[in-house]
Amino acid sequence: MAHAYTPGLRVTDRALVRKRRLLPIEGEVLVDLGVQVRAEDVVARAFLPGKVQNLNVAHLLGVEPGEVRKYMTKAEGEEVSAGEVLAETKPLLKWFKRQVRSPVGGTLESISDVTGQVLLREPPEPLELKAYIDGRVVELLPGQGVVVETPSALVQGIFGIGGEATGKLHVAVEAPDEVLTAEHILPEHRDGIVVGGSLVEAEAFGKAKEVGVKGIVVGGIRDQDLKELLGYELGVAITGTEDVGFVLVVTEGFGRIDMAERTFALLKRYEGHKASISGATQIRAGVIRPEVIIPRPELNPEDIAEEEVEARGIEVGDTVRLIRAPLFGRIGKVTGLPPEPTKISTESVTRVLEVELEGGERVIVPRANVEKMEG
């Protein structure tokens, strides 16, 4: 049977999720192999160099640069406190005395005999790496981080923004076609992940920030609402660093699109359970999917591994989602897989597939423009 290979979204209540948790710079791993960790636990730590403060001591004392060193009260490498005297003159008349005090605490890093400037370095800033998911540490990466594994239910989205968060799932609507409004977001949703239906209204974003919601999962979002939420037009190929006050995962696409019934049913099934959510998205090379992970510690990891099926290509009859404009987010079934490359509207020649969209419309699209929707 003809088939095409392309990444697909997963919506399943039985997945063995493994997450590589890596520090951006070399540091120290804080946990042992085989231990159980919570999402909030710090598994590795590194220290970022402190900020540098530059003081022109020669100018502040009114002396020549080459004379600064003899007026210093602290030597290179010594620790200093904020407000502590770093240098002072010693005139015959004390009311002519000049002093330079440290604006910050830290270390006196260097004294320049050429410029008369002193460099102060603030204390290093700790960078803590959390586990992100409840699970077991199955691999140690010395100096870098760990791999955490957990049996879980998993929902992958098509688009997201924001970093990572953890909270209790709250399904705020009754059906997958219902719009999530500000009225749906309640005080009891504080520190939780709110699930909506077909669309999230812009007013709900403000209410989510006010209440302290950690994440929102919804079927669709309007382009304009997203732009207003971010404060700019999102044109980058990767997301995940946006700071909007919560994590957003869109499961279906742009506009009002009913959340897939299977996705909604799965999230509803685990209402009240602890979940981890990430909005990081990258569509092109090195695909990254926004996701909701619901740990299921009652499952045996070995049993899930045995049941895993090797990834197969797209075949006729498979359900796919289009991931490029102008049909971004549309869902349909594959009706044909022409074996020969075809010229498309851009005049490029590429391998394509034929898709019947929901509603009956038939289109021909590049195979790179679709993703398989998996269970």
Side-chain angles (χ1 to χ4, degrees):
M1 181 180 294
H3 57 271
Y5 288 97
T6 187
L9 298 182
R10 297 191 67 193
V11 177
T12 176
D13 66 354
R14 291 177 64 88
L16 190 60
V17 174
R18 294 186 181 94
K19 289 294 175 183
R20 290 172 64 88
R21 308 297 291 161
L22 300 176
L23 291 165
I25 59 175
E26 187 171 358
E28 178 188 8
V29 176
L30 304 178
V31 295
D32 295 324
L33 186 66
V35 302
Q36 292 290 136
V37 293
R38 298 174 305 159
E40 303 83 3
D41 291 342
V42 176
V43 295
R45 181 184 294 122
F47 289 91
L48 297 173
K51 297 177 182 177
V52 172
Q53 295 273 355
N54 190 345
L55 283 181
N56 192 332
V57 174
H59 174 72
L60 294 171
L61 290 182
V63 301
E64 293 297 318
E67 297 180 309
V68 165
R69 195 175 293 271
K70 70 180 182 181
Y71 295 111
M72 297 296 298
T73 62
K74 291 285 186 177
E76 290 168 320
E78 286 192 68
E79 292 186 2
V80 298
S81 303
E84 186 175 3
V85 175
L86 290 178
E88 62 182 6
T89 59
K90 298 176 182 178
L92 293 175
L93 299 175
K94 63 180 181 180
W95 49 84
F96 289 124
K97 175 187 273 191
R98 293 186 179 183
Q99 292 182 328
V100 176
R101 296 180 181 274
S102 176
V104 296
T107 305
L108 197 160
E109 189 159 284
S110 69
I111 303 169
S112 173
D113 297 320
V114 176
T115 66
Q117 294 181 334
V118 171
L119 294 184
L120 300 170
R121 187 174 292 277
E122 296 181 33
E125 300 177 12
L127 175 65
E128 295 185 333
L129 180 68
K130 295 184 178 180
Y132 172 53
I133 55 175
D134 290 2
R136 185 169 64 94
V137 177
V138 296
E139 185 178 352
L140 299 181
L141 307 169
Q144 301 179 64
V146 300
V147 177
V148 181
E149 175 185 278
T150 184
S152 67
L154 172 67
V155 171
Q156 291 182 325
I158 192 170
F159 171 79
I161 58 172
E164 299 172 348
T166 306
K168 186 181 294 186
L169 278 179
H170 300 280
V171 180
V173 298
E174 296 297 325
D177 62 350
E178 190 174 348
V179 175
L180 181 68
T181 66
E183 288 70 29
H184 286 109
I185 298 177
L186 307 175
E188 52 264 38
H189 295 157
R190 180 177 181 83
D191 294 328
I193 299 168
V194 175
V195 178
S198 58
L199 183 73
V200 54
E201 291 284 1
E203 292 77 11
F205 295 141
K207 186 67 175 295
K209 293 179 186 179
E210 178 186 329
V211 168
V213 167
K214 292 284 191 67
I216 294 176
V217 185
V218 71
I221 183 174
R222 298 187 186 99
D223 286 323
Q224 185 59 34
D225 292 344
L226 177 63
K227 182 178 178 180
E228 291 179 4
L229 175 64
L230 293 171
Y232 57 88
E233 189 82 44
L234 187 65
V236 68
I238 184 169
T239 70
T241 59
E242 302 79 15
D243 184 10
V244 297
F246 52 83
V247 179
L248 173 67
V249 171
V250 176
T251 64
E252 313 304 324
F254 288 93
R256 179 172 179 172
I257 310 175
D258 295 353
M259 182 180 289
E261 290 187 6
R262 179 177 57 178
T263 303
F264 186 82
L266 187 148
L267 294 171
K268 181 70 174 177
R269 188 182 315 149
Y270 292 102
E271 185 170 14
H273 286 237
K274 181 180 181 180
S276 297
I277 183 173
S278 170
T281 308
Q282 182 168 300
I283 296 298
R284 298 189 181 278
V287 172
I288 300 172
R289 304 293 187 193
E291 63 190 6
V292 181
I293 299 170
I294 308 157
R296 297 188 59 193
E298 76 279 7
L299 295 180
N300 189 324
E302 288 74 20
D303 292 343
I304 295 177
E306 291 173 3
E307 291 184 359
E308 285 180 338
V309 179
E310 291 186 6
R312 65 175 179 85
I314 287 180
E315 299 177 354
V316 171
D318 283 344
T319 300
V320 295
R321 189 197 319 265
L322 279 64
I323 59 173
R324 299 285 188 276
L327 299 171
F328 186 92
R330 297 287 298 276
I331 296 171
K333 288 193 178 296
V334 177
T335 57
L337 292 163
E340 298 299 326
T342 302
K343 181 180 288 189
I344 58 177
S345 58
T346 62
E347 300 299 318
S348 298
V349 177
T350 185
R351 301 192 72 187
V352 300
L353 46 72
E354 300 167 357
V355 179
E356 182 176 337
L357 302 175
E358 292 178 343
E361 180 185 358
R362 289 177 177 263
V363 295
I364 295 176
V365 295
R367 295 184 183 185
N369 288 9
V370 305
E371 60 188 359
K372 183 171 62 176
M373 297 180 65
E374 309 184 330

